[in-house]
Short mmCIF file of all heavy atoms in Angstrom, two decimals:
data_model
loop_
_atom_site.label_atom_id
_atom_site.label_comp_id
_atom_site.label_asym_id
_atom_site.label_seq_id
_atom_site.Cartn_x
_atom_site.Cartn_y
_atom_site.Cartn_z
N ILE A 367 21.82 -3.94 -22.12
CA ILE A 367 21.46 -3.30 -20.82
C ILE A 367 22.65 -2.58 -20.22
O ILE A 367 22.52 -1.48 -19.70
CB ILE A 367 20.85 -4.36 -19.83
CG1 ILE A 367 19.55 -4.89 -20.33
CG2 ILE A 367 20.73 -3.78 -18.42
CD1 ILE A 367 19.01 -6.03 -19.47
N LEU A 368 23.82 -3.25 -20.29
CA LEU A 368 25.00 -2.63 -19.73
C LEU A 368 25.38 -1.34 -20.55
O LEU A 368 25.81 -0.31 -19.90
CB LEU A 368 26.20 -3.57 -19.80
CG LEU A 368 26.17 -4.76 -18.87
CD1 LEU A 368 27.34 -5.68 -19.14
CD2 LEU A 368 26.27 -4.23 -17.42
N VAL A 369 25.14 -1.32 -21.80
CA VAL A 369 25.39 -0.16 -22.65
C VAL A 369 24.45 1.00 -22.20
O VAL A 369 24.92 2.16 -22.05
CB VAL A 369 25.22 -0.44 -24.14
CG1 VAL A 369 25.21 0.81 -24.98
CG2 VAL A 369 26.26 -1.38 -24.70
N VAL A 370 23.19 0.68 -21.99
CA VAL A 370 22.24 1.72 -21.58
C VAL A 370 22.68 2.32 -20.23
O VAL A 370 22.59 3.54 -20.01
CB VAL A 370 20.83 1.17 -21.56
CG1 VAL A 370 19.83 2.17 -20.89
CG2 VAL A 370 20.33 0.74 -22.97
N ILE A 371 23.01 1.43 -19.29
CA ILE A 371 23.40 1.91 -17.96
C ILE A 371 24.63 2.78 -18.05
O ILE A 371 24.74 3.86 -17.40
CB ILE A 371 23.67 0.73 -17.04
CG1 ILE A 371 22.40 -0.09 -16.78
CG2 ILE A 371 24.28 1.18 -15.71
CD1 ILE A 371 22.58 -1.33 -15.96
N ALA A 372 25.59 2.39 -18.84
CA ALA A 372 26.82 3.18 -19.00
C ALA A 372 26.51 4.57 -19.62
O ALA A 372 27.07 5.57 -19.22
CB ALA A 372 27.84 2.45 -19.87
N LEU A 373 25.61 4.64 -20.57
CA LEU A 373 25.26 5.91 -21.25
C LEU A 373 24.49 6.82 -20.28
O LEU A 373 24.66 8.01 -20.31
CB LEU A 373 24.47 5.67 -22.52
CG LEU A 373 25.25 5.02 -23.68
CD1 LEU A 373 24.32 4.75 -24.84
CD2 LEU A 373 26.37 5.95 -24.09
N ILE A 374 23.68 6.25 -19.38
CA ILE A 374 23.00 7.02 -18.38
C ILE A 374 24.00 7.70 -17.47
O ILE A 374 23.89 8.88 -17.08
CB ILE A 374 22.03 6.14 -17.53
CG1 ILE A 374 20.87 5.71 -18.43
CG2 ILE A 374 21.56 6.84 -16.28
CD1 ILE A 374 19.94 4.72 -17.72
N GLY A 375 25.05 6.94 -17.10
CA GLY A 375 26.07 7.55 -16.27
C GLY A 375 26.83 8.64 -17.04
O GLY A 375 27.21 9.66 -16.43
N TYR A 376 27.11 8.41 -18.34
CA TYR A 376 27.79 9.36 -19.19
C TYR A 376 27.04 10.67 -19.25
O TYR A 376 27.62 11.80 -19.22
CB TYR A 376 28.03 8.77 -20.55
CG TYR A 376 28.44 9.79 -21.59
CD1 TYR A 376 29.78 10.26 -21.53
CD2 TYR A 376 27.60 10.24 -22.56
CE1 TYR A 376 30.20 11.21 -22.52
CE2 TYR A 376 27.95 11.16 -23.50
CZ TYR A 376 29.29 11.61 -23.49
OH TYR A 376 29.64 12.59 -24.43
N LEU A 377 25.70 10.59 -19.28
CA LEU A 377 24.89 11.83 -19.42
C LEU A 377 24.78 12.48 -18.10
O LEU A 377 24.20 13.59 -18.04
CB LEU A 377 23.55 11.47 -19.96
CG LEU A 377 23.46 10.97 -21.45
CD1 LEU A 377 22.07 10.54 -21.79
CD2 LEU A 377 23.94 12.15 -22.37
N GLY A 378 25.20 11.87 -16.99
CA GLY A 378 25.19 12.49 -15.67
C GLY A 378 23.80 12.49 -15.05
O GLY A 378 23.52 13.30 -14.19
N ILE A 379 22.99 11.58 -15.45
CA ILE A 379 21.61 11.48 -14.90
C ILE A 379 21.70 10.78 -13.52
O ILE A 379 22.30 9.77 -13.36
CB ILE A 379 20.65 10.69 -15.87
CG1 ILE A 379 20.55 11.38 -17.21
CG2 ILE A 379 19.33 10.49 -15.17
CD1 ILE A 379 19.83 10.60 -18.20
N GLU A 380 21.06 11.39 -12.53
CA GLU A 380 21.08 10.89 -11.17
C GLU A 380 20.16 9.65 -11.12
O GLU A 380 19.01 9.65 -11.62
CB GLU A 380 20.57 11.90 -10.18
CG GLU A 380 21.56 13.09 -9.96
CD GLU A 380 22.81 12.64 -9.27
OE1 GLU A 380 22.72 11.62 -8.52
OE2 GLU A 380 23.86 13.28 -9.39
N THR A 381 20.69 8.60 -10.58
CA THR A 381 19.86 7.35 -10.57
C THR A 381 19.01 7.25 -9.31
O THR A 381 18.18 6.36 -9.23
CB THR A 381 20.86 6.14 -10.55
OG1 THR A 381 21.77 6.23 -9.40
CG2 THR A 381 21.64 6.11 -11.78
N SER A 382 19.17 8.18 -8.37
CA SER A 382 18.38 8.11 -7.09
C SER A 382 16.87 8.34 -7.43
O SER A 382 16.00 7.66 -6.94
CB SER A 382 18.86 9.14 -6.13
OG SER A 382 18.84 10.45 -6.65
N GLY A 383 16.61 9.31 -8.30
CA GLY A 383 15.22 9.58 -8.69
C GLY A 383 14.61 8.42 -9.42
O GLY A 383 13.44 8.01 -9.27
N ILE A 384 15.44 7.79 -10.33
CA ILE A 384 14.94 6.66 -11.12
C ILE A 384 14.66 5.52 -10.18
O ILE A 384 13.68 4.82 -10.32
CB ILE A 384 15.98 6.28 -12.17
CG1 ILE A 384 16.22 7.47 -13.18
CG2 ILE A 384 15.61 5.06 -12.90
CD1 ILE A 384 17.31 7.18 -14.16
N SER A 385 15.57 5.31 -9.22
CA SER A 385 15.36 4.25 -8.23
C SER A 385 14.07 4.39 -7.48
O SER A 385 13.31 3.43 -7.21
CB SER A 385 16.52 4.16 -7.26
OG SER A 385 17.71 3.90 -7.95
N ALA A 386 13.69 5.65 -7.10
CA ALA A 386 12.51 5.89 -6.38
C ALA A 386 11.25 5.56 -7.28
O ALA A 386 10.30 5.00 -6.77
CB ALA A 386 12.41 7.31 -5.93
N VAL A 387 11.39 5.91 -8.50
CA VAL A 387 10.23 5.65 -9.42
C VAL A 387 10.10 4.13 -9.63
O VAL A 387 8.93 3.62 -9.57
CB VAL A 387 10.43 6.37 -10.78
CG1 VAL A 387 9.35 5.92 -11.81
CG2 VAL A 387 10.46 7.80 -10.60
N ILE A 388 11.20 3.44 -9.78
CA ILE A 388 11.15 2.03 -9.99
C ILE A 388 10.59 1.37 -8.75
O ILE A 388 9.78 0.41 -8.85
CB ILE A 388 12.55 1.47 -10.28
CG1 ILE A 388 13.05 2.02 -11.67
CG2 ILE A 388 12.59 -0.05 -10.28
CD1 ILE A 388 14.43 1.66 -11.99
N ALA A 389 10.99 1.83 -7.61
CA ALA A 389 10.49 1.26 -6.33
C ALA A 389 9.01 1.39 -6.22
O ALA A 389 8.29 0.50 -5.78
CB ALA A 389 11.20 1.81 -5.12
N SER A 390 8.54 2.62 -6.56
CA SER A 390 7.03 2.85 -6.44
C SER A 390 6.23 2.05 -7.39
O SER A 390 5.05 1.74 -7.16
CB SER A 390 6.74 4.31 -6.63
OG SER A 390 7.16 4.73 -7.92
N LEU A 391 6.84 1.73 -8.57
CA LEU A 391 6.10 0.91 -9.59
C LEU A 391 6.41 -0.57 -9.49
O LEU A 391 5.93 -1.33 -10.34
CB LEU A 391 6.48 1.45 -11.02
CG LEU A 391 6.09 2.90 -11.28
CD1 LEU A 391 6.57 3.24 -12.72
CD2 LEU A 391 4.54 3.04 -11.22
N GLY A 392 7.22 -0.91 -8.50
CA GLY A 392 7.68 -2.29 -8.40
C GLY A 392 6.54 -3.35 -8.36
O GLY A 392 6.55 -4.36 -8.97
N VAL A 393 5.56 -3.06 -7.51
CA VAL A 393 4.39 -3.92 -7.35
C VAL A 393 3.63 -4.10 -8.69
O VAL A 393 3.35 -5.26 -9.07
CB VAL A 393 3.44 -3.43 -6.27
CG1 VAL A 393 2.20 -4.38 -6.13
CG2 VAL A 393 4.15 -3.41 -4.92
N CYS A 394 3.35 -2.96 -9.30
CA CYS A 394 2.64 -3.08 -10.63
C CYS A 394 3.42 -3.83 -11.63
O CYS A 394 2.86 -4.64 -12.37
CB CYS A 394 2.35 -1.62 -11.10
SG CYS A 394 1.22 -0.67 -10.05
N VAL A 395 4.70 -3.49 -11.74
CA VAL A 395 5.55 -4.22 -12.79
C VAL A 395 5.61 -5.70 -12.42
O VAL A 395 5.58 -6.51 -13.28
CB VAL A 395 6.92 -3.55 -12.78
CG1 VAL A 395 7.90 -4.39 -13.63
CG2 VAL A 395 6.89 -2.16 -13.25
N GLY A 396 5.76 -5.98 -11.12
CA GLY A 396 5.78 -7.38 -10.74
C GLY A 396 4.58 -8.16 -11.10
O GLY A 396 4.66 -9.32 -11.60
N LEU A 397 3.37 -7.56 -10.93
CA LEU A 397 2.16 -8.20 -11.33
C LEU A 397 2.09 -8.32 -12.91
O LEU A 397 1.59 -9.36 -13.42
CB LEU A 397 0.95 -7.43 -10.82
CG LEU A 397 0.76 -7.38 -9.36
CD1 LEU A 397 -0.38 -6.47 -8.94
CD2 LEU A 397 0.47 -8.79 -8.81
N ALA A 398 2.54 -7.34 -13.59
CA ALA A 398 2.45 -7.36 -15.06
C ALA A 398 3.39 -8.37 -15.69
O ALA A 398 3.06 -8.98 -16.66
CB ALA A 398 2.79 -5.98 -15.58
N VAL A 399 4.52 -8.57 -15.03
CA VAL A 399 5.52 -9.55 -15.65
C VAL A 399 5.56 -10.84 -14.94
O VAL A 399 6.47 -11.62 -15.11
CB VAL A 399 6.96 -8.92 -15.66
CG1 VAL A 399 6.99 -7.58 -16.40
CG2 VAL A 399 7.46 -8.72 -14.15
N ASN A 400 4.53 -11.13 -14.14
CA ASN A 400 4.43 -12.37 -13.41
C ASN A 400 4.57 -13.57 -14.35
O ASN A 400 5.34 -14.53 -14.14
CB ASN A 400 3.12 -12.48 -12.59
CG ASN A 400 3.10 -13.73 -11.79
OD1 ASN A 400 4.01 -14.11 -11.06
ND2 ASN A 400 1.93 -14.42 -11.95
N GLY A 401 3.82 -13.52 -15.44
CA GLY A 401 3.84 -14.63 -16.43
C GLY A 401 5.21 -14.74 -17.14
O GLY A 401 5.71 -15.80 -17.32
N THR A 402 5.81 -13.57 -17.36
CA THR A 402 7.10 -13.53 -18.02
C THR A 402 8.16 -14.16 -17.16
O THR A 402 9.03 -14.92 -17.58
CB THR A 402 7.47 -12.09 -18.41
OG1 THR A 402 6.47 -11.57 -19.26
CG2 THR A 402 8.83 -12.11 -19.13
N VAL A 403 8.07 -13.85 -15.83
CA VAL A 403 9.08 -14.42 -14.87
C VAL A 403 8.92 -15.94 -14.86
O VAL A 403 9.91 -16.62 -14.78
CB VAL A 403 8.87 -13.72 -13.53
CG1 VAL A 403 9.77 -14.44 -12.49
CG2 VAL A 403 9.23 -12.27 -13.52
N SER A 404 7.70 -16.36 -14.88
CA SER A 404 7.41 -17.75 -14.82
C SER A 404 8.01 -18.45 -16.05
O SER A 404 8.58 -19.55 -15.97
CB SER A 404 5.87 -18.10 -14.74
OG SER A 404 5.35 -17.55 -13.55
N ASN A 405 7.79 -17.81 -17.21
CA ASN A 405 8.37 -18.34 -18.45
C ASN A 405 9.90 -18.38 -18.40
O ASN A 405 10.54 -19.29 -18.91
CB ASN A 405 7.90 -17.56 -19.66
CG ASN A 405 6.35 -17.80 -19.89
OD1 ASN A 405 5.91 -18.85 -19.63
ND2 ASN A 405 5.74 -16.80 -20.48
N LEU A 406 10.48 -17.28 -17.83
CA LEU A 406 11.89 -17.20 -17.74
C LEU A 406 12.49 -18.37 -16.87
O LEU A 406 13.47 -19.01 -17.21
CB LEU A 406 12.33 -15.86 -17.14
CG LEU A 406 13.85 -15.62 -16.96
CD1 LEU A 406 14.59 -15.71 -18.23
CD2 LEU A 406 14.04 -14.25 -16.31
N ALA A 407 11.77 -18.53 -15.73
CA ALA A 407 12.19 -19.66 -14.83
C ALA A 407 12.03 -21.01 -15.52
O ALA A 407 12.87 -21.92 -15.42
CB ALA A 407 11.37 -19.59 -13.55
N GLY A 408 10.97 -21.05 -16.27
CA GLY A 408 10.72 -22.33 -17.04
C GLY A 408 11.84 -22.63 -18.09
O GLY A 408 12.29 -23.72 -18.25
N GLY A 409 12.28 -21.49 -18.75
CA GLY A 409 13.37 -21.64 -19.71
C GLY A 409 14.65 -22.09 -19.10
O GLY A 409 15.36 -22.93 -19.62
N VAL A 410 14.96 -21.58 -17.92
CA VAL A 410 16.13 -22.04 -17.14
C VAL A 410 16.03 -23.52 -16.80
O VAL A 410 17.00 -24.30 -16.97
CB VAL A 410 16.31 -21.20 -15.86
CG1 VAL A 410 17.46 -21.74 -15.03
CG2 VAL A 410 16.61 -19.76 -16.23
N MET A 411 14.83 -23.91 -16.32
CA MET A 411 14.64 -25.38 -15.99
C MET A 411 14.73 -26.24 -17.21
O MET A 411 15.33 -27.35 -17.16
CB MET A 411 13.25 -25.53 -15.38
CG MET A 411 13.10 -24.95 -13.97
SD MET A 411 14.32 -25.64 -12.82
CE MET A 411 13.85 -27.39 -12.88
N LEU A 412 14.29 -25.78 -18.36
CA LEU A 412 14.40 -26.63 -19.58
C LEU A 412 15.86 -26.78 -20.03
O LEU A 412 16.25 -27.85 -20.48
CB LEU A 412 13.61 -25.94 -20.75
CG LEU A 412 12.08 -25.92 -20.65
CD1 LEU A 412 11.47 -25.15 -21.81
CD2 LEU A 412 11.51 -27.40 -20.60
N LEU A 413 16.69 -25.72 -19.81
CA LEU A 413 18.06 -25.82 -20.13
C LEU A 413 18.86 -26.69 -19.16
O LEU A 413 19.84 -27.37 -19.50
CB LEU A 413 18.75 -24.45 -20.16
CG LEU A 413 18.28 -23.49 -21.21
CD1 LEU A 413 18.85 -22.14 -21.03
CD2 LEU A 413 18.61 -24.03 -22.62
#
């Protein structure tokens, strides 16, 4: 993930537009990954 973020900065892509898109899709993404987040939290608890 860090490599991808660094390369986005290298290409000079503005992150403000990306942030707006992410914010607008936040609710949808949150609902879609609800089960994944639960599994992630469960994995932390198991460890």
